[in-house]
């Protein structure tokens, strides 16, 4: 791979902002504004050249202070969003450069007799905005309950299509400090809120052990996520609209300038609060570099792909391998998939025309031990029936639902707790689809956080349309 030498800059400079608009033409040629500088360090950094791309801007964090020609500090009071606990400050205790890395540090202290947390958030808004490109960042995350590092993107003008989620959001990476084996890449859009999320799990190592490279290729009709060069998520059928109105022309809202931002949150609705095990002496989110590349031009004459809806089998069942007559790889994204999150430990095996789910640790969430089958067609106005047989080694609870991974995780069949016993029983649940058509409904069996690790046996799973 070719590399180019880039001087680490400390002084102010100008960054080109691409102004691709919705339906403005067939091709967008990014404006090329020369970078101007008045002072630079003598240190050089080898930055890879990428075939078909030009380096638009980058920060190797090789100086002594944050380059405020590229980044803003963004202070916020605690509870500003997601019920997070931290105050984002402009203090160099929370945001600083060390050894060629940007460090965002969460600090625990005390205020008014209660635990108080500060941290940092930096954004490129109005300084390094751009439309379309390849964003590459190398980072090492902290480990600890309640820590939530993220590298993500928001539009320069959030009001252009309307407030979140109508404006759109591109999450390049998120990792929860209590589960540093799994990284998430997510697209948010809507209204109603939709999302496309992918995960990449590591084995034998985790994202807190060392630096990993996270990248997103953002093009007019498709957005792709990579970790260490591995493609793990692709989105191409997003939308945005005001509730009750027509959708904006595709590829809105991802056809406007966005900016990169990075932060380390503490607590919140997703990771939950820190606890006694969280070591704030090590609560540092380190970023080695951020690089943004861009192609000379992009074809903006793109169309939203037609949705492909799974057809029912001859017996009317939308579930594939519902009788568990075929062995499957339960780790891939085809048909059945077994998942572990947030402290859940266990395994699943198909045998004797059933799936056997063995739990070792129940974890902290209902979905900590989970069996799913996605890609179920859910059509507004139709009625569906979910049925299956189940028993367990000893009496225990499980939860069944039909969720919407692409529509904000709303429920088409609400979370339904049921009691399984040592005797095989048949369970049946009917529901009416009242939301927008969705080709990615997901049947879920959630066995985590139920006060039991008893082995569960599931068979004869059906999802069918009823009159």
């Amino acid at each position: 791979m070719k590399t180019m030498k880039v001087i680490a800059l400390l002084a102010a400079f100008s960054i080109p902002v691409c102004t691709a608009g919705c339906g403005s033409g067939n091709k967008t040629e990014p404006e090329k504004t020369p970078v101007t500088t008045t002072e630079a360090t003598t240190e050089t950094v080898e930055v890879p050249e990428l075939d078909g791309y030009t380096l638009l801007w980058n920060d190797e964090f090789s100086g002594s202070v944050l380059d405020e020609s590229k980044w803003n500090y963004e202070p916020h009071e605690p509870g500003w969003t997601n019920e997070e606990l931290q105050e984002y400050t402009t203090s160099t205790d929370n945001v600083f450069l060390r050894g060629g890395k940007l460090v965002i540090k969460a600090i625990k202290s005390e205020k008014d007799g209660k635990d108080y947390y500060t941290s940092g958030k930096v954004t490129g808004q109005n300084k390094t905005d751009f439309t379309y490109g390849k964003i590459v960042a190398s980072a090492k995350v902290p480990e600890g309950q309640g820590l939530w590092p993220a590298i993500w993107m928001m539009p320069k003008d959030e009001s252009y299509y309307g407030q979140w989620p109508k404006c759109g959001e591109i999450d390049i990476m998120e990792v929860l400090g209590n589960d540093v084996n799994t990284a998430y890449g997510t697209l948010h859009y809507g209204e109603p809120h939709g999302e496309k999320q992918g995960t990449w799990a590591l084995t034998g190592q985790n994202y807190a052990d060392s630096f990993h490279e996270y990248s997103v290729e953002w093009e007019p009709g498709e957005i792709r996520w990579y970790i260490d060069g591995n493609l793990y998520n692709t989105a191409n059928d997003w939308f945005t609209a005001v509730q009750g109105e027509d959708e904006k022309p595709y590829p809105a809202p991802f056809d406007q300038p966005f900016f990169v931002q990075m932060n380390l949150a503490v607590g919140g609705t997703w990771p939950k609060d820190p606890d006694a095990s969280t070591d704030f002496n090590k609560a540092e989110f380190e970023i080695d570099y951020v690089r943004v590349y861009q192609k000379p031009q992009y074809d903006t004459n793109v169309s939203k792909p037609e949705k492909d809806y799974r057809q029912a089998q001859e017996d009317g069942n939308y579930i594939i391998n519902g009788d568990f007559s075929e062995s499957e790889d339960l780790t891939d994204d085809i048909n059945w998939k077994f998942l572990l999150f947030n402290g859940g430990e266990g395994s699943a095996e198909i045998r004797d025309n059933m799936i056997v789910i063995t739990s070792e640790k129940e974890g902290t969430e209902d979905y900590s031990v989970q069996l799913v089958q996605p890609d179920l067609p859910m059509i507004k106005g139709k009625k569906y029936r979910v049925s299956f047989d189940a028993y367990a080694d000893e009496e225990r609870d499980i939860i069944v639902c039909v969720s919407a991974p692409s529509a904000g995780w709303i429920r088409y069949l609400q979370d339904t707790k049921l009691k399984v016993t040592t005797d095989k029983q048949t369970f049946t649940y009917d529901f009416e689809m009242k939301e927008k058509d969705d080709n990615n409904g997901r049947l879920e069996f959630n066995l985590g956080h139920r006060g039991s690790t008893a082995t569960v046996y599931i068979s004869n799973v059906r999802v069918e349309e009823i009159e």
Side-chain angles (χ1 to χ4, degrees):
M1 180 180 292
K2 294 182 179 179
T3 61
M4 61 186 112
K5 291 186 177 181
V6 176
I7 303 292
L9 304 173
L10 293 178
F13 63 94
S14 59
I15 283 288
V17 175
C18 306
T19 56
C22 182
S24 59
N26 289 345
K27 292 187 182 293
T28 294
E29 297 187 3
E31 179 185 354
K32 301 298 181 183
T33 303
V35 174
T36 59
T37 69
T38 57
E39 181 183 354
T41 67
T42 57
E43 182 178 357
T44 59
V45 178
E46 299 291 337
V47 178
E49 294 182 357
L50 302 182
D51 289 343
Y53 289 92
T54 300
L55 183 67
L56 184 62
W57 67 268
N58 69 299
D59 198 337
E60 307 299 313
F61 303 112
S62 300
S64 57
V65 296
L66 184 70
D67 187 345
E68 294 190 56
S69 67
K70 299 175 182 176
W71 303 106
N72 312 291
Y73 294 91
E74 188 173 293
H76 285 288
E77 292 299 312
W80 166 65
T81 186
N82 300 318
E83 301 179 15
E84 295 164 16
L85 301 177
Q86 80 287 332
E87 175 191 355
Y88 285 133
T89 79
T90 60
S91 170
T92 53
D93 291 335
N94 295 116
V95 179
F96 55 92
L97 268 59
R98 182 185 65 204
K101 312 287 191 298
L102 170 65
V103 181
I104 302 178
K105 182 176 179 62
I107 298 172
K108 179 182 179 181
S109 60
E110 190 175 288
K111 185 175 182 179
D112 299 328
K114 298 179 180 179
D115 291 339
Y116 197 80
Y117 305 91
T118 60
S119 190
K121 179 181 182 184
V122 297
T123 83
Q125 189 172 19
N126 297 316
K127 293 180 177 178
T128 50
D129 316 276
F130 61 98
T131 306
Y132 308 131
K134 183 179 179 75
I135 307 94
V136 183
S138 175
K140 179 182 177 183
V141 306
E143 184 172 9
Q145 169 59 41
L147 300 179
W148 183 6
I151 303 174
W152 51 302
M153 298 173 63
M154 287 286 288
K156 176 182 178 181
D157 180 5
E158 188 173 337
S159 64
Y160 188 76
Y161 287 114
Q163 296 302 303
W164 191 94
K166 295 186 288 294
C167 62
E169 174 183 326
I170 304 171
D171 295 336
I172 299 169
M173 69 81 72
E174 294 177 282
V175 175
L176 301 182
N178 66 335
D179 183 16
V180 291
N181 294 100
T182 304
Y184 301 80
T186 312
L187 197 69
H188 295 274
Y189 51 88
E191 174 175 68
H193 177 208
E195 65 179 59
K196 301 286 186 183
Q197 185 175 83
T199 60
W200 187 256
L202 299 177
T203 55
Q205 58 178 321
N206 64 56
Y207 293 104
D209 287 339
S210 59
F211 284 83
H212 292 267
E213 188 173 82
Y214 308 88
S215 62
V216 164
E217 293 174 347
W218 169 28
E219 299 183 353
E222 188 168 278
I223 303 175
R224 299 175 292 274
W225 285 256
Y226 300 81
I227 293 179
D228 297 330
N230 299 293
L231 174 66
Y232 71 98
N233 190 24
T234 301
N236 57 18
D237 62 345
W238 57 78
F239 70 94
T240 197
V242 175
Q243 187 76 42
E245 296 185 8
D246 292 339
E247 294 182 5
K248 303 297 183 182
Y250 184 80
F254 301 106
D255 60 349
Q256 58 177 318
F258 274 64
F259 61 89
V260 175
Q261 54 189 339
M262 300 173 287
N263 62 279
L264 174 56
V266 179
T269 52
W270 191 13
K272 304 299 190 292
D273 293 349
D275 59 25
S277 70
T278 310
D279 185 355
F280 278 88
N281 292 320
K282 300 179 180 178
E284 294 185 346
F285 182 27
E286 298 180 79
I287 300 96
D288 189 12
Y289 53 79
V290 177
R291 300 164 181 162
V292 175
Y293 300 84
Q294 203 170 61
K295 294 180 178 179
Q297 61 184 22
Y298 289 90
D299 184 359
T300 59
N301 186 22
V302 294
S303 299
K304 186 175 180 178
E306 294 291 331
K307 287 187 177 182
D308 183 23
Y309 287 85
R310 177 187 291 182
Q311 298 299 308
Q313 300 172 86
E314 290 184 2
D315 64 355
N317 193 4
Y318 285 107
I319 293 291
I320 297 175
N321 200 22
D323 60 0
F324 300 105
S325 59
E326 299 178 13
S327 178
E328 286 191 33
D329 180 352
L330 298 174
T331 65
D332 64 19
D333 293 320
I334 302 173
N335 304 334
W336 292 111
K337 186 170 187 178
F338 180 67
L339 298 162
L340 296 169
F341 298 99
N342 296 79
E345 294 183 12
S347 60
E349 176 189 9
I350 294 176
R351 68 169 189 257
D352 301 327
N353 292 103
M354 59 186 174
I355 190 163
V356 182
I357 302 173
T358 304
S359 300
E360 297 168 7
K361 293 183 179 179
E362 61 175 310
T364 60
E365 307 292 338
D366 294 339
Y367 57 82
S368 290
V369 180
Q370 184 182 64
L371 176 72
V372 305
Q373 184 161 147
D375 301 327
L376 300 179
M378 295 283 111
I379 307 300
K380 185 175 182 179
K382 291 186 177 293
K383 295 181 180 180
Y384 296 89
R385 173 169 293 156
V386 175
S387 62
F388 55 92
D389 297 337
Y391 68 97
D393 280 349
E394 60 184 48
E395 187 174 292
R396 58 159 296 166
D397 293 340
I398 67 174
I399 290 177
V400 64
C401 72
V402 176
S403 67
S406 304
W409 296 101
I410 61 175
R411 300 297 197 254
Y412 302 139
L413 169 63
Q414 296 302 310
D415 289 338
T416 304
K417 184 174 70 173
L418 57 108
K419 191 176 296 295
V420 291
T421 68
T422 55
D423 295 323
K424 182 186 289 189
Q425 301 174 75
T426 299
F427 299 88
T428 303
Y429 303 98
D430 295 348
F431 66 97
E432 182 180 354
M433 174 62 178
K434 297 181 179 180
E435 306 295 337
K436 185 177 181 180
D437 291 357
D438 185 359
N439 65 343
N440 189 31
R442 188 170 87 156
L443 178 65
E444 299 183 8
F445 294 98
N446 293 304
L447 284 69
H449 196 47
R450 306 309 311 155
S452 175
T453 56
T455 298
V456 174
Y457 306 81
I458 298 173
S459 56
N460 299 320
V461 183
R462 297 182 61 83
V463 174
E464 55 195 317
E465 186 180 333
I466 58 176
E467 292 298 329

